Every structure is written in C-alpha cells, then in structure tokens.
Amino acid sequence: MMLSYNKFIKLVRSLGIPTIINGRENEYDNTMMSLARLNKIHLLYAIYTNNMSITLHSLYNISASALLDVSKIFNDNKIDYAIFKTIKPFSYIPSDIDILIHYKDLNKAIKLLEEHNYSRYIKDSLCTTMRKDTNIDLYLDPSVSNLAYLDGELLMKHKCVKNINDIKVHTLTNYAEIIAVACHSFYKEQLFTLSDYYTLTILAEEHKRIDDIINFARINNAIDVLKVTANICKQITLQAFEIDHLIICKIADLLNQDVYNTHRDYPNGFITLPYKFPLIFVMKSLMKKVSKERGNITLMKGILKSISLRQLRKLLEHKVRETY
C-alpha cells in the first residue's frame, strides 16, 4: 500500500498541476504510465516525459477532429448544444464526445449526423450514441442507468463559446463544468481520477469566484458531491504539494463549515487515485437528491421506474472497476 502511495505521489509531483504548479523532470516509466492510464491522464504523462507515441497522437487527432466536426455541423444548422466533460484544461484524450442537446433539437441533430455518415449506435430515453470514428453521446440530461443526475436544460443556460481552430465550440462555463464533472465522477462512474482532480482544481483556479461554484452546486442539489470531491482535491494537494491556498481547497473549507451539512462523508488520511466512492454514500446522496427534486412520495417509484434490473447490475458493476 505504501509503495502504491509513493508511486502515486511521485506521479502527481512529476506532473505538477498544469498552469498552476510546475512539474518535476522525470524519465518515462512503464509503471507510471500504467498509473497515468488508470487516471485518464496518459496523454499528459506522455507529453511531460517526451514519450508521445504514434497511437496516442492518432487517438488525440481522432477525438479532436470529431469534436470540431460535430460542432461545425451543429453551428451551421443552429442546433442548441453544449459539449461537456470532454474539453479539459490540460492535454487529454476523451473516450467519447459528450454533448448536451436541447430536447427540441434532438431528432434534428441525429438526422444531421446520419447525413454526415454517423450511425446510430445506442439509444435510451436520455442519451443517444452516434458513431463514426469515435462515439458521440447526445444527452438530454446527464444520466446514469436512465436516471438523470443533473438537469440538462439548467446546465445549457450556463454556456459559453470557445474558439478552437477557428471553429466556435459551445461548451459550459467553468463553474457549470466543475459541477458536471464532479457529478459524473460521483454518480455515473463512482470513481474519482487524477483527470477529475486536475479538471476541478484548474477550472476553479481559473474561475476564481467561489460563490458561483457553490451556488451552482446548490441549485443543482449537488452540494454533497461538491463537498466530497473538493475535499479529495484538497487532500491530494496537501499530500503532493503541501499547500492549501488554492480555490478548490477554500471551497472544501467553506463546505466543511456548513452548519446544514456537518456530517463527514469524504475520505480522511492518505488518498490515492482512482478513488472509489462508497456505494452506500452514492445511493444515499442520489436518493436525497431525487427526494428534493421529485418529492418524498415519488422517490422510490421514480428510482424503480427509471432503473431496470440490467441497469442496476451495470450500476453495481462499476464498484469492481479500476478505471473507466
């Protein structure tokens, strides 16, 4: 366990925190690359150690090309969309392109992609997956096992536009992206990786306005999730760099003082990532969230109606994974 912890801290220190803390020079190591891959930061590690492979370069180009291709198609046809959880504040290869779509534009968006040689791969009530060179997930609401854990329309009210290679890409504001990434790691993946750590830490530092982040978590009934993920970020920052003045650390401190949320549901002591959230905490938080949004009477009916046995098995299978 100590060896694993030492390797993890060595990896974090070698990379630093992009744009915030410089990394330490470090030679490429296969074991470190395996740990980086588990944490969804293998491209970042390859770049920092000057070991960029043809495969990684190809995968990056495929995902970047798909992101820009779909953005241009949607822009040209006035589709109301926002890319989320995909564009990171550091070098990154997404496993798929995640896009929020307004329900009025979903069928039109699917038809447009089909006209551009994307095929419909998977469809449920909240997400449609299209595929050409990579998966394009079109979400009405961010969801797990057909149960929405965030309101897509609410997220879409907090969009911004980024210019990437002369193409306007619609995405979420920093504070909305922080909550989307935190809730995705907690509810859907039940795993917190270094990719999540860097995303939350860097975006919070860039945004600076703590109230925006906390208030957006409150209106999305995601304070519990922000609290636990911010505390993980603070603990990793303390372990690796012995500092606690970053914005994400201040958010953790403020939420820990919240008189309405005094129970401790975040890990204590040394942490290594990926970190698996306890299933009981995930389910408790999900039921609390649904209860607030649907009312206590409809709570269990809503969950049981939304989750089939197959989907529940899939949800539970997440607990034995090392990464996603």
Side-chain angles (χ1 to χ4, degrees):
M1 178 62 71
M2 186 56 66
L3 181 62
S4 175
Y5 172 77
N6 289 339
K7 286 181 178 178
F8 171 73
I9 291 299
K10 183 179 179 181
L11 174 63
V12 179
R13 288 174 177 166
S14 71
L15 298 175
I17 303 176
T19 73
I20 300 174
I21 298 175
N22 291 330
R24 302 176 183 178
E25 289 189 14
N26 202 7
E27 293 184 359
Y28 179 85
D29 179 88
N30 284 328
T31 303
M32 290 294 182
M33 174 52 97
S34 296
L35 185 55
R37 195 176 296 277
L38 281 175
N39 276 282
K40 314 292 284 183
I41 56 164
H42 43 300
L43 177 62
L44 184 65
Y45 182 73
I47 291 173
Y48 269 60
T49 55
N50 296 310
N51 200 69
M52 187 71 164
S53 69
I54 294 175
T55 300
L56 282 178
H57 192 269
S58 175
L59 288 172
Y60 176 80
N61 285 339
I62 288 171
S63 61
S65 176
L67 186 151
L68 296 177
D69 182 43
V70 173
S71 294
K72 188 174 187 309
I73 292 170
F74 287 172
N75 291 345
D76 290 346
N77 292 276
K78 295 181 171 52
I79 297 295
D80 191 0
Y81 77 98
I83 292 173
F84 73 119
K85 303 193 297 84
T86 302
I87 302 172
K88 302 293 185 183
F90 56 91
S91 300
Y92 175 76
I93 300 175
S95 54
D96 46 36
I97 310 298
D98 293 318
I99 306 177
L100 288 168
I101 293 282
H102 195 282
Y103 71 91
K104 67 179 176 57
D105 285 339
L106 178 60
N107 290 334
K108 182 180 178 182
I110 292 171
K111 183 177 179 181
L112 284 167
L113 292 180
E114 288 176 335
E115 290 173 354
H116 286 79
N117 300 316
Y118 289 83
S119 58
R120 199 180 312 197
Y121 184 55
I122 301 172
K123 188 179 189 307
D124 63 31
S125 64
L126 295 175
C127 180
T128 300
T129 299
M130 308 294 291
R131 182 168 181 80
K132 187 158 66 173
D133 297 320
T134 190
N135 284 355
I136 310 295
D137 291 333
L138 306 178
Y139 284 94
L140 296 177
D141 297 308
S143 57
V144 55
S145 298
N146 217 23
L147 182 67
Y149 57 81
L150 283 173
D151 185 328
E153 286 193 56
L154 178 56
L155 287 172
M156 295 265 283
K157 292 177 181 177
H158 299 265
K159 295 194 298 182
C160 64
V161 177
K162 296 181 179 179
N163 194 305
I164 303 177
N165 292 350
D166 295 324
I167 293 178
K168 292 181 178 179
V169 177
H170 295 243
T171 185
L172 298 180
T173 59
N174 282 352
Y175 60 87
E177 182 75 3
I178 286 170
I179 302 308
V181 170
C183 287
H184 171 261
S185 71
F186 185 79
Y187 288 120
K188 185 165 186 177
E189 305 301 346
Q190 295 137 48
L191 281 172
F192 194 82
T193 66
L194 270 174
S195 172
D196 301 316
Y197 166 74
Y198 284 137
T199 301
L200 268 59
T201 301
I202 297 169
L203 291 184
E205 207 65 21
E206 287 180 358
H207 189 71
K208 294 185 173 26
R209 296 189 294 277
I210 293 175
D211 285 350
D212 287 350
I213 300 168
I214 293 179
N215 288 339
F216 197 68
R218 288 197 192 282
I219 65 176
N220 280 279
N221 292 311
I223 281 292
D224 286 351
V225 176
L226 180 59
K227 179 181 178 181
V228 68
T229 53
N231 271 283
I232 291 173
C233 290
K234 178 184 177 181
Q235 189 62 33
I236 297 299
T237 305
L238 282 169
Q239 289 172 191
F241 308 111
E242 299 180 348
I243 60 172
D244 63 357
H245 64 267
L246 300 183
I247 297 296
I248 198 68
C249 302
K250 294 177 181 179
I251 290 173
D253 290 340
L254 283 171
L255 294 181
N256 292 343
Q257 296 168 11
D258 190 339
V259 295
Y260 299 106
N261 191 6
T262 56
H263 60 285
R264 185 188 185 100
D265 278 315
Y266 52 89
N268 191 21
F270 292 133
I271 304 172
T272 60
L273 304 181
Y275 171 79
K276 294 183 181 181
F277 295 108
L279 181 59
I280 186 66
F281 180 34
V282 174
M283 296 305 296
K284 181 175 70 172
S285 180
L286 186 59
M287 287 189 291
K288 179 180 175 183
K289 179 177 174 60
V290 176
S291 175
K292 285 183 178 180
E293 294 173 357
R294 299 187 185 182
N296 288 317
I297 295 176
T298 61
L299 172 59
M300 292 311 298
K301 286 184 179 179
I303 292 178
L304 292 173
K305 181 179 179 181
S306 300
I307 303 180
S308 67
L309 289 176
R310 180 182 63 80
Q311 291 164 334
L312 184 57
R313 282 197 299 270
K314 186 176 179 181
L315 187 67
L316 295 173
E317 283 170 1
H318 283 198
K319 300 314 296 175
V320 299
R321 300 174 307 160
E322 291 186 317
T323 188
Y324 57 89

